[in-house]
Amino acid sequence: MKAGFEAKARQVSLAAVLVGFPVLLYLTWFVAPDWSYQPDVTAPLTRKILFFHPPSAWASFIAYAVVFVLGIAYLNERDLRHDRAARAAAEVGFMMNSIALATGTLWGIQEWAKAGQNALATVYSEPKVLVVVVLWLTFAAYLLLRRFVDGPERQARLAAVFGVLGFIAVPASFLTSRLLTTSLHPDIAGPGSNPDAAVSGDVGMILLVGFLVFLALFVHLWLQRLRILRLEDETAVLEAQETDTP
Amino acid sequence: MPALWMSGLRKRFGARELWAPLDLTVEAGETVALLGANGVGKSTLLRIAATASRPTAGALVVDGVDAVRSPDQARPRVGLQPQDAPLYAELTPHEHLRWWARLHGVAVDPDATLVQFGLAQAAHRPSAVLSRGQRQRVALALASLPDPPLLLLDEPFTALDAAGATQVEALLAARRGRKGTLMALHDEALARRVADRVVRLDRTGVHPA
Amino acid sequence: MSDGRFRALLWKDARRELRGKESIAAGVVLVLLFYVLDLFAFPTLAGAPRTAAAVLWTPLLYAAGALAGRAWAAEADRGTLELLRAAPVPLLSHGLSRWVVNLVITLALALVGFVAGGALFALPVTVEVALPLALGAVGLSILASLAAALAAQARSRDVLLPILLVPLAAPLLQAGIAATLSALAGLPLSEARAPLLVLAAYDLVALGVSLVLWPILLEGE
């Protein structure tokens, strides 16, 4: 990526976050419908987390796709710059994934908790929650693997291999959940989605805004992290040259 | 056709570039000794020639095969005796040789090779109990077994007694004029005695020594 | 590569495994240990199909990982990865050969667990229970071999291996447990068609991906 383009993208994504986040909050609290009139909605207020939960989950899926594509690019070209970008995307993706997991847990505890049942156990036995957990574990494993491997080339090669394997496992886990189970979790998009949970009007519009805000947040943090990692690498090169000069 | 041709070859580990782009040719029938300070990358250079390590940039041709593009085709043309003579602990020298001969598709009598390398006594002992010198002999036997167009020896005299050293010199003599051999050595006098040509590796590349 | 060369690789890997007989024995004991532990915890599994599914699948996951982990750790520690890189065959063939040996042993350990489940917990000893375990063993042996070859090139590989393996094996475990639950409910195989197809499909995808990844995994620096 050209330096000028990257700096521009960093500024634009920052502006999008700074403008978009207050707008998203406003829409969530003042425009989104009040679900309290629906008898089957247990926790109408908590439901507003909808505008943060799927967007952060989608942003983490995009982050993982970026990790996968950059891993393949590294294996093809053996250019450590691709690996650096993959690492930055994984770190930010892991954070997005953690947000999705936390917001989903908060909502699930309120919405699904039945009298006399352990609320957390109810949430985590849910197959669709398991998929986000699998992605979280995949990100965690990817980042841990990097910490346990010495040498930039070996680290890049093994991380790319694991990235490819995880990219097969996570969608497979998702499809398996969809195919094999009936669940409490609303499917708002894709095959087998639940008509009761279908979103329309304001809700769909706010979700889209939420997604764009989280996408911008991902892009911005990714590019910032990338810049820090690049500076670290450049420092290492300078240090290596210093020790090499007799 | 040279046994080994390297041109503009570079190798980088992270931020560290091992050498300025280097050129090295080993003609068929030529025995070349490679000298150089510890840590300058002699083993890495041999491993690159054996396709066990990927060069960062540059051309590498082994016996007419582009080893960067087609390592799987180049590998059968090279024999490498690695630095630490790694062997499977559970398998005996006899089993190693039999396995290696089958991989190369050559009909070699393992027993005769074992005798040639002074391993008759150790032939059927698990490698875990062999001495360092005995393992070195097995590693040399494996590398030279298919009589490859290019033989790469990483400190072949290490841990060998006088008889073992004589066997290595006999191996080198048998290849001279027929096949190419490149070996990393640290003893310059020895290098001048056993090699046709002696070169030195440093940060600036490979130079005649 | 000719069959003769691949047979030579298999011969070497099988021979190593048989020489270290104790490793296969240890695998069997490991699986049985899980069942003994389960005996302490659950005197019966009647009416507890979800627990029974966990009893059947947990030792298989653990044994597949331990088995593959030991094999590749030995290659890395003894430096024999370097021997493989110097061998006159494509790097892919080393991974495949090692996987075939792991597959045979993992299937054998799945059989041990299957029989132990029947003997100790009176779980049904039927093809409906056996098939998902067998399909799972195939996929687990592929993924465990790849994860073990990854972990072998890292520090603290014993800690790292399960961390790498479990997310990769998640689809297999999800589908495998669904098929096992169907079998434990006494339903015919046709009722478990979807999870069985997922198991078979994931096995094939994992095998296909492994063909691409083995040469990269076994490269040297």
Side-chain angles (χ1 to χ4, degrees), chain A residues 31-78:
Chain A
V31 178
D34 176 6
W35 279 287
S36 53
Y37 59 86
Q38 281 182 348
D40 61 323
V41 175
T42 327
L45 195 60
T46 323
R47 188 165 259 214
K48 301 224 177 204
I49 229 167
L50 171 70
F51 305 118
F52 301 86
H53 171 60
S56 54
W58 292 335
S60 67
F61 295 153
I62 288 178
Y64 200 81
V66 170
V67 172
F68 170 73
V69 169
L70 287 169
I72 301 275
Y74 173 77
L75 292 177
N76 274 333
E77 297 171 27
R78 304 291 167 144

Side-chain angles (χ1 to χ4, degrees), chain C residues 3-78:
Chain C
D3 290 349
R5 288 177 184 192
F6 192 66
R7 272 207 304 277
L9 289 176
L10 276 178
W11 173 84
K12 181 263 297 177
D13 283 327
R15 188 128 205 162
R16 282 183 60 213
E17 210 54 65
L18 292 172
R19 275 289 151 73
K21 269 190 219 59
E22 62 283 355
S23 73
I24 297 177
V28 172
V29 171
L30 185 70
V31 169
L32 291 178
L33 266 182
F34 272 95
Y35 282 84
V36 172
L37 205 62
D38 293 333
L39 270 182
F40 294 150
F42 324 111
T44 172
L45 289 176
R50 288 191 169 269
T51 314
V55 164
L56 284 169
W57 281 90
T58 312
L60 192 59
L61 174 66
Y62 197 89
L67 195 73
R70 202 195 48 84
W72 283 108
E75 297 269 12
D77 286 344
R78 286 248 150 208

Side-chain angles (χ1 to χ4, degrees), chain C residues 165-188:
Chain C
L165 177 56
V166 170
L168 302 181
L172 279 178
L173 297 175
Q174 283 170 290
I177 285 173
T180 300
L181 287 175
S182 160
L184 292 176
L187 298 172

